[in-house]
Each structure stands twice: as C-alpha cells, then as structure tokens.
Amino acid sequence: KDGVVNISCDKKATFNSIEVYDASGKSVISNKYPLGTSATKIRLPDAPGIYFIKITSGKSRRTQKIFRQ
C-alpha cells in the first residue's frame, strides 16, 4: 500500500546489494549493504507498475517481479 517492500533472507543467507528496475529496464533504486546483511526495507517509486528487484549476494543473484498498485 505504501510501497514498502520487506526483504529478508532464509537461514544464514545474506546479501550485499539490491537494485530495482522498472518495466522498461531503467534502474530506479541501487543500494549497497554491509557484509552480513540479511534483512532490510525498501520503498518502491510512487508510480504504479511492474518492478524487478535484483538481490545480489557475492556471485549469486536473484530477481523477483513486484506489482505496484
């Protein structure tokens, strides 16, 4: 509702960066985190639409699609 997304890792997993892209592929958020970070919150842009959240942990990457209403 307010555009806040909670991000957390399972078990002992951590991440060191989060990037958010809009549907056109434009980067709208790029945050780096200290080593060992396992949870955070980010606020999506106000514009409704589809966003892709890319979470990076060392050489591992995961992308999640989010719908902002």
Side-chain angles (χ1 to χ4, degrees):
K1 199 172 192 181
D2 59 2
V4 174
V5 177
N6 293 308
I7 297 173
S8 61
C9 295
D10 293 336
K11 302 178 186 171
K12 295 181 180 181
T14 62
F15 54 86
N16 60 340
S17 73
I18 295 176
E19 297 171 90
V20 179
Y21 298 89
D22 65 14
S24 71
K26 178 183 171 191
S27 176
V28 294
I29 297 172
S30 181
N31 294 335
K32 301 232 181 259
Y33 297 90
L35 188 63
T37 301
S38 62
T40 192
K41 293 180 182 184
I42 60 170
R43 182 178 299 277
L44 294 176
D46 291 334
I50 298 171
Y51 293 91
F52 297 91
I53 299 176
K54 182 169 79 171
I55 302 168
T56 304
S57 175
K59 295 181 181 181
S60 173
R61 292 187 190 129
R62 179 179 178 160
T63 302
Q64 184 72 42
K65 186 190 307 186
I66 301 287
F67 295 93
R68 170 84 158 109
Q69 296 183 345

Coordinates of all heavy atoms in Angstrom, one line a residue:
K1 N 0.8 -1.2 0.0 CA 0.0 0.0 0.0 C 0.9 1.3 0.0 O 0.6 2.2 -0.8 CB -0.9 0.0 1.2 CG -2.1 0.9 1.1 CD -3.0 0.6 2.3 CE -4.3 1.3 2.0 NZ -5.3 1.1 3.1
D2 N 1.8 1.3 0.9 CA 2.7 2.5 0.9 C 4.0 2.3 0.1 O 4.8 3.1 0.1 CB 3.1 2.8 2.4 CG 3.8 1.7 3.1 OD1 4.0 0.6 2.5 OD2 4.1 1.9 4.3
G3 N 4.1 1.2 -0.6 CA 5.2 0.9 -1.5 C 6.4 0.4 -0.8 O 7.5 0.2 -1.4
V4 N 6.3 0.0 0.5 CA 7.5 -0.5 1.3 C 7.5 -2.0 1.0 O 6.5 -2.7 1.2 CB 7.4 -0.2 2.8 CG1 8.5 -0.9 3.5 CG2 7.5 1.3 3.0
V5 N 8.7 -2.5 0.7 CA 8.9 -4.0 0.5 C 9.9 -4.4 1.5 O 11.0 -3.9 1.7 CB 9.4 -4.2 -0.9 CG1 9.7 -5.7 -1.1 CG2 8.5 -3.7 -2.0
N6 N 9.5 -5.5 2.3 CA 10.4 -6.1 3.2 C 11.2 -7.2 2.5 O 10.7 -8.0 1.8 CB 9.7 -6.8 4.4 CG 9.0 -5.7 5.2 OD1 9.6 -4.8 5.7 ND2 7.7 -5.9 5.5
I7 N 12.5 -7.1 2.7 CA 13.4 -8.1 2.0 C 14.2 -8.8 3.1 O 14.8 -8.2 4.0 CB 14.4 -7.4 1.0 CG1 13.6 -6.8 -0.1 CG2 15.4 -8.4 0.5 CD1 14.3 -6.0 -1.0
S8 N 14.1 -10.1 3.1 CA 14.9 -10.9 4.1 C 15.3 -12.2 3.5 O 14.7 -12.7 2.6 CB 14.1 -11.2 5.4 OG 12.9 -11.9 5.0
C9 N 16.4 -12.7 4.0 CA 17.0 -14.0 3.5 C 16.7 -15.1 4.5 O 16.5 -14.9 5.7 CB 18.5 -13.9 3.4 SG 19.0 -12.7 2.2
D10 N 16.6 -16.3 3.9 CA 16.4 -17.5 4.7 C 17.7 -18.0 5.4 O 18.8 -17.8 4.8 CB 15.9 -18.7 3.8 CG 14.5 -18.4 3.2 OD1 13.8 -17.6 3.8 OD2 14.2 -19.0 2.2
K11 N 17.5 -18.5 6.6 CA 18.6 -19.1 7.3 C 19.8 -18.2 7.4 O 19.7 -17.1 7.9 CB 19.0 -20.5 6.7 CG 17.8 -21.4 6.6 CD 18.1 -22.7 5.9 CE 16.9 -23.6 5.8 NZ 17.1 -24.7 5.0
K12 N 21.0 -18.7 7.0 CA 22.2 -17.9 7.1 C 22.6 -17.1 5.9 O 23.7 -16.5 5.8 CB 23.4 -18.8 7.5 CG 23.2 -19.5 8.8 CD 24.4 -20.4 9.1 CE 24.2 -21.1 10.4 NZ 25.3 -22.0 10.8
A13 N 21.7 -17.0 4.9 CA 22.0 -16.3 3.7 C 22.0 -14.8 4.0 O 21.4 -14.3 4.9 CB 20.9 -16.6 2.7
T14 N 22.8 -14.1 3.2 CA 22.9 -12.6 3.3 C 23.0 -12.0 1.9 O 23.1 -12.7 0.9 CB 24.2 -12.2 4.1 OG1 25.4 -12.6 3.4 CG2 24.2 -12.7 5.5
F15 N 22.9 -10.7 1.8 CA 23.0 -10.0 0.5 C 23.9 -8.8 0.7 O 24.1 -8.3 1.8 CB 21.7 -9.7 -0.1 CG 20.8 -8.9 0.9 CD1 20.9 -7.5 0.9 CD2 19.8 -9.5 1.7 CE1 20.0 -6.8 1.7 CE2 19.0 -8.8 2.5 CZ 19.1 -7.4 2.5
N16 N 24.4 -8.3 -0.4 CA 25.2 -7.1 -0.3 C 24.8 -5.9 -1.3 O 25.3 -4.8 -1.2 CB 26.7 -7.4 -0.6 CG 27.0 -8.0 -1.9 OD1 26.1 -8.5 -2.5 ND2 28.2 -8.0 -2.4
S17 N 23.8 -6.2 -2.1 CA 23.2 -5.1 -2.9 C 21.8 -5.5 -3.4 O 21.5 -6.6 -3.5 CB 24.1 -4.8 -4.1 OG 24.0 -5.8 -5.1
I18 N 21.0 -4.4 -3.5 CA 19.7 -4.5 -4.1 C 19.5 -3.5 -5.1 O 19.8 -2.3 -4.9 CB 18.6 -4.4 -3.0 CG1 18.7 -5.5 -1.9 CG2 17.2 -4.3 -3.6 CD1 17.8 -5.4 -0.8
E19 N 19.0 -3.9 -6.3 CA 18.7 -3.0 -7.3 C 17.3 -3.2 -7.8 O 16.8 -4.3 -7.8 CB 19.6 -3.2 -8.5 CG 21.1 -2.9 -8.2 CD 22.0 -3.4 -9.3 OE1 22.3 -2.6 -10.2 OE2 22.4 -4.6 -9.3
V20 N 16.6 -2.1 -8.1 CA 15.2 -2.1 -8.5 C 15.1 -1.5 -9.9 O 15.7 -0.4 -10.1 CB 14.2 -1.4 -7.6 CG1 12.8 -1.5 -8.1 CG2 14.3 -2.0 -6.2
Y21 N 14.5 -2.2 -10.8 CA 14.3 -1.7 -12.2 C 12.8 -1.6 -12.5 O 12.0 -2.4 -12.1 CB 15.0 -2.7 -13.2 CG 16.4 -2.8 -13.0 CD1 16.9 -3.8 -12.1 CD2 17.3 -2.0 -13.7 CE1 18.3 -3.9 -11.9 CE2 18.7 -2.1 -13.5 CZ 19.2 -3.1 -12.6 OH 20.5 -3.2 -12.4
D22 N 12.5 -0.6 -13.3 CA 11.1 -0.5 -13.8 C 10.9 -1.4 -15.0 O 11.8 -2.1 -15.4 CB 10.7 0.9 -14.1 CG 11.4 1.6 -15.2 OD1 12.1 0.9 -16.0 OD2 11.3 2.8 -15.3
A23 N 9.7 -1.5 -15.5 CA 9.4 -2.4 -16.6 C 10.2 -2.1 -17.9 O 10.4 -3.0 -18.7 CB 7.9 -2.4 -16.9
S24 N 10.7 -0.9 -18.0 CA 11.5 -0.6 -19.2 C 12.9 -0.9 -19.0 O 13.7 -0.8 -20.0 CB 11.3 0.9 -19.6 OG 12.0 1.7 -18.6
G25 N 13.3 -1.4 -17.8 CA 14.7 -1.8 -17.6 C 15.5 -0.6 -17.0 O 16.7 -0.8 -16.7
K26 N 14.9 0.5 -16.7 CA 15.6 1.6 -16.1 C 15.8 1.4 -14.6 O 14.9 1.0 -13.9 CB 14.8 2.9 -16.3 CG 15.4 4.1 -15.6 CD 14.5 5.3 -15.8 CE 15.1 6.5 -15.0 NZ 14.1 7.6 -14.9
S27 N 17.1 1.6 -14.1 CA 17.4 1.4 -12.7 C 16.7 2.6 -11.9 O 17.0 3.8 -12.2 CB 18.9 1.4 -12.5 OG 19.2 1.4 -11.1
V28 N 15.9 2.3 -10.9 CA 15.2 3.3 -10.1 C 15.7 3.3 -8.7 O 15.6 4.3 -8.0 CB 13.7 3.2 -10.1 CG1 13.2 3.4 -11.5 CG2 13.2 1.8 -9.7
I29 N 16.4 2.2 -8.2 CA 17.0 2.2 -6.9 C 18.2 1.3 -7.0 O 18.2 0.2 -7.6 CB 16.0 1.5 -5.8 CG1 14.8 2.4 -5.7 CG2 16.7 1.3 -4.5 CD1 13.7 1.7 -4.8
S30 N 19.3 1.7 -6.3 CA 20.5 0.9 -6.3 C 21.1 1.1 -4.9 O 21.6 2.2 -4.6 CB 21.5 1.3 -7.4 OG 22.6 0.5 -7.3
N31 N 21.1 0.1 -4.0 CA 21.6 0.2 -2.7 C 22.6 -0.9 -2.4 O 22.4 -2.0 -2.8 CB 20.5 0.1 -1.7 CG 19.5 1.2 -1.7 OD1 19.8 2.3 -2.1 ND2 18.3 0.9 -1.3
K32 N 23.7 -0.5 -1.8 CA 24.7 -1.4 -1.3 C 24.6 -1.6 0.2 O 24.2 -0.6 0.9 CB 26.1 -0.9 -1.6 CG 26.3 -0.7 -3.1 CD 27.6 -1.4 -3.6 CE 27.8 -1.2 -5.1 NZ 27.3 -2.2 -5.9
Y33 N 24.9 -2.8 0.7 CA 24.7 -3.1 2.1 C 26.0 -3.7 2.7 O 26.8 -4.3 2.0 CB 23.6 -4.0 2.3 CG 22.3 -3.4 1.9 CD1 21.8 -3.6 0.6 CD2 21.5 -2.7 2.8 CE1 20.6 -3.0 0.2 CE2 20.3 -2.1 2.4 CZ 19.9 -2.3 1.1 OH 18.7 -1.7 0.7
P34 N 26.2 -3.5 4.0 CA 27.4 -4.1 4.6 C 27.4 -5.6 4.6 O 26.3 -6.2 4.5 CB 27.4 -3.6 6.1 CG 26.3 -2.7 6.2 CD 25.4 -2.8 4.9
L35 N 28.5 -6.2 4.6 CA 28.7 -7.7 4.6 C 27.9 -8.2 5.7 O 27.9 -7.7 6.9 CB 30.1 -8.1 4.7 CG 30.5 -9.5 4.6 CD1 30.1 -10.0 3.2 CD2 31.9 -9.8 4.9
G36 N 27.1 -9.3 5.5 CA 26.3 -9.9 6.6 C 24.9 -9.4 6.7 O 24.1 -9.9 7.5
T37 N 24.4 -8.5 5.8 CA 23.1 -8.0 5.9 C 22.1 -9.1 5.5 O 22.3 -9.8 4.5 CB 22.9 -6.8 5.0 OG1 23.8 -5.8 5.4 CG2 21.5 -6.3 5.1
S38 N 21.1 -9.3 6.3 CA 20.1 -10.4 6.0 C 18.7 -9.9 5.9 O 17.8 -10.6 5.5 CB 20.2 -11.5 7.0 OG 19.8 -11.0 8.3
A39 N 18.4 -8.6 6.2 CA 17.1 -8.0 6.1 C 17.1 -6.5 5.9 O 18.0 -5.9 6.5 CB 16.3 -8.4 7.3
T40 N 16.2 -6.0 5.2 CA 16.0 -4.5 5.0 C 14.7 -4.2 4.5 O 13.9 -5.1 4.2 CB 17.1 -4.0 4.1 OG1 17.2 -2.6 4.2 CG2 16.9 -4.4 2.6
K41 N 14.4 -3.0 4.4 CA 13.1 -2.5 3.7 C 13.5 -1.5 2.7 O 14.4 -0.7 2.9 CB 12.2 -1.8 4.8 CG 11.7 -2.7 5.8 CD 10.8 -1.9 6.8 CE 10.3 -2.8 7.9 NZ 9.4 -2.1 8.8
I42 N 12.8 -1.5 1.6 CA 13.0 -0.5 0.5 C 11.6 0.0 0.1 O 10.6 -0.6 0.3 CB 13.7 -1.1 -0.7 CG1 12.9 -2.2 -1.4 CG2 15.1 -1.5 -0.4 CD1 13.4 -2.6 -2.7
R43 N 11.6 1.3 -0.3 CA 10.4 1.9 -0.7 C 10.4 2.0 -2.3 O 11.3 2.6 -2.8 CB 10.2 3.3 -0.1 CG 8.9 4.0 -0.5 CD 8.8 5.3 0.2 NE 8.7 5.2 1.6 CZ 7.7 4.9 2.3 NH1 6.5 4.7 1.7 NH2 7.7 4.8 3.6
L44 N 9.4 1.4 -2.9 CA 9.3 1.5 -4.4 C 8.8 2.9 -4.8 O 8.2 3.6 -4.0 CB 8.3 0.5 -4.9 CG 8.6 -1.0 -4.7 CD1 7.4 -1.9 -5.1 CD2 9.9 -1.4 -5.4
P45 N 9.1 3.3 -6.0 CA 8.6 4.5 -6.5 C 7.1 4.6 -6.4 O 6.4 3.6 -6.4 CB 9.1 4.6 -8.0 CG 10.3 3.6 -8.0 CD 10.0 2.6 -7.0
D46 N 6.6 5.8 -6.4 CA 5.1 6.0 -6.3 C 4.3 5.5 -7.5 O 3.2 5.2 -7.4 CB 4.8 7.5 -6.0 CG 5.3 7.9 -4.6 OD1 5.4 7.0 -3.7 OD2 5.5 9.1 -4.4
A47 N 5.0 5.5 -8.7 CA 4.3 5.2 -9.9 C 3.9 3.7 -9.9 O 4.7 2.8 -9.6 CB 5.1 5.5 -11.1
P48 N 2.6 3.4 -10.2 CA 2.2 2.0 -10.3 C 2.8 1.4 -11.5 O 3.2 2.0 -12.4 CB 0.6 2.1 -10.4 CG 0.3 3.5 -10.8 CD 1.5 4.4 -10.4
G49 N 3.0 0.0 -11.4 CA 3.6 -0.7 -12.5 C 4.3 -1.9 -12.0 O 4.2 -2.3 -10.8
I50 N 5.0 -2.5 -12.9 CA 5.8 -3.7 -12.6 C 7.3 -3.3 -12.3 O 7.8 -2.5 -13.1 CB 5.8 -4.7 -13.8 CG1 4.4 -5.1 -14.0 CG2 6.7 -5.9 -13.5 CD1 4.2 -5.9 -15.3
Y51 N 7.8 -3.8 -11.3 CA 9.2 -3.6 -10.9 C 9.9 -4.9 -10.7 O 9.3 -5.9 -10.3 CB 9.3 -2.7 -9.6 CG 8.8 -1.3 -9.8 CD1 7.4 -1.0 -9.6 CD2 9.6 -0.3 -10.3 CE1 6.9 0.2 -9.8 CE2 9.1 1.0 -10.5 CZ 7.8 1.2 -10.2 OH 7.3 2.5 -10.4
F52 N 11.2 -4.9 -11.0 CA 12.0 -6.1 -10.8 C 13.1 -5.8 -9.7 O 13.8 -4.8 -9.8 CB 12.7 -6.5 -12.1 CG 11.7 -6.9 -13.2 CD1 11.2 -5.9 -14.0 CD2 11.3 -8.2 -13.3 CE1 10.3 -6.3 -15.0 CE2 10.4 -8.5 -14.2 CZ 9.9 -7.6 -15.1
I53 N 13.1 -6.6 -8.7 CA 14.1 -6.4 -7.6 C 15.2 -7.4 -7.8 O 14.9 -8.6 -7.7 CB 13.4 -6.5 -6.2 CG1 12.3 -5.5 -6.1 CG2 14.4 -6.4 -5.1 CD1 11.5 -5.6 -4.8
K54 N 16.4 -7.0 -8.0 CA 17.6 -7.9 -8.1 C 18.4 -7.8 -6.8 O 18.9 -6.8 -6.4 CB 18.4 -7.5 -9.3 CG 19.6 -8.4 -9.5 CD 20.3 -8.2 -10.8 CE 21.2 -7.0 -10.7 NZ 22.1 -6.8 -11.9
I55 N 18.5 -9.0 -6.2 CA 19.2 -9.1 -4.9 C 20.5 -9.9 -5.2 O 20.5 -11.0 -5.8 CB 18.4 -9.9 -3.9 CG1 17.1 -9.1 -3.7 CG2 19.1 -10.0 -2.6 CD1 16.0 -9.9 -2.9
T56 N 21.6 -9.3 -4.8 CA 22.9 -9.9 -5.1 C 23.6 -10.3 -3.8 O 23.7 -9.5 -2.8 CB 23.8 -8.9 -5.9 OG1 23.2 -8.6 -7.1 CG2 25.2 -9.6 -6.2
S57 N 24.2 -11.5 -3.8 CA 24.9 -11.9 -2.6 C 26.2 -12.6 -3.2 O 26.2 -13.7 -3.7 CB 24.1 -13.0 -1.8 OG 24.9 -13.5 -0.8
G58 N 27.3 -11.9 -3.2 CA 28.5 -12.4 -3.8 C 28.3 -12.6 -5.3 O 28.0 -11.7 -6.0
K59 N 28.5 -13.9 -5.7 CA 28.3 -14.2 -7.1 C 26.9 -14.7 -7.4 O 26.5 -14.9 -8.6 CB 29.3 -15.3 -7.5 CG 30.7 -14.9 -7.5 CD 31.7 -16.0 -7.9 CE 33.1 -15.5 -7.8 NZ 34.0 -16.5 -8.2
S60 N 26.1 -14.8 -6.4 CA 24.7 -15.3 -6.5 C 23.7 -14.1 -6.7 O 23.9 -13.1 -6.1 CB 24.3 -16.1 -5.3 OG 22.9 -16.4 -5.3
R61 N 22.8 -14.3 -7.7 CA 21.8 -13.2 -7.9 C 20.4 -13.8 -8.0 O 20.2 -14.9 -8.5 CB 22.1 -12.5 -9.2 CG 23.3 -11.7 -9.2 CD 23.4 -10.9 -10.5 NE 24.7 -10.3 -10.5 CZ 25.6 -10.4 -11.5 NH1 25.2 -11.0 -12.6 NH2 26.7 -9.8 -11.5
R62 N 19.4 -13.1 -7.5 CA 18.0 -13.5 -7.7 C 17.2 -12.3 -8.0 O 17.4 -11.2 -7.5 CB 17.5 -14.1 -6.3 CG 16.1 -14.5 -6.4 CD 15.6 -15.1 -5.2 NE 14.2 -15.4 -5.4 CZ 13.5 -16.2 -4.6 NH1 14.1 -16.8 -3.6 NH2 12.2 -16.4 -4.9
T63 N 16.3 -12.4 -9.0 CA 15.4 -11.4 -9.4 C 14.0 -11.7 -9.1 O 13.5 -12.9 -9.4 CB 15.6 -11.1 -10.9 OG1 16.9 -10.7 -11.1 CG2 14.7 -9.9 -11.3
Q64 N 13.2 -10.8 -8.5 CA 11.8 -11.0 -8.1 C 11.0 -9.9 -8.8 O 11.3 -8.7 -8.8 CB 11.7 -10.9 -6.6 CG 10.3 -11.2 -6.1 CD 10.0 -12.7 -6.3 OE1 10.8 -13.6 -6.0 NE2 8.8 -13.0 -6.7
K65 N 9.9 -10.3 -9.4 CA 8.9 -9.4 -10.0 C 7.9 -8.9 -9.0 O 7.4 -9.7 -8.2 CB 8.2 -10.0 -11.2 CG 7.3 -9.0 -12.0 CD 6.4 -9.7 -13.0 CE 7.1 -10.6 -13.9 NZ 6.1 -11.1 -15.0
I66 N 7.7 -7.6 -8.9 CA 6.8 -7.0 -7.9 C 5.8 -6.1 -8.7 O 6.2 -5.4 -9.6 CB 7.5 -6.1 -6.9 CG1 8.6 -6.8 -6.2 CG2 6.6 -5.3 -6.0 CD1 8.0 -7.8 -5.1
F67 N 4.5 -6.2 -8.3 CA 3.5 -5.3 -8.9 C 3.1 -4.2 -8.0 O 2.7 -4.5 -6.8 CB 2.2 -6.2 -9.3 CG 2.4 -7.2 -10.3 CD1 2.8 -8.5 -10.0 CD2 2.3 -6.9 -11.7 CE1 3.0 -9.5 -10.9 CE2 2.5 -7.9 -12.6 CZ 2.9 -9.1 -12.2
R68 N 3.3 -3.0 -8.4 CA 3.0 -1.8 -7.5 C 1.7 -1.3 -8.0 O 1.5 -0.9 -9.2 CB 4.1 -0.8 -7.6 CG 3.8 0.6 -7.0 CD 4.1 0.5 -5.5 NE 4.3 1.8 -5.0 CZ 3.4 2.4 -4.2 NH1 2.3 1.8 -3.8 NH2 3.7 3.6 -3.7
Q69 N 0.7 -1.2 -7.1 CA -0.7 -0.7 -7.5 C -0.8 0.7 -7.1 O -0.2 1.2 -6.2 CB -1.7 -1.5 -6.9 CG -1.7 -3.0 -7.4 CD -2.9 -3.8 -6.8 OE1 -3.5 -3.4 -5.8 NE2 -3.1 -4.9 -7.4

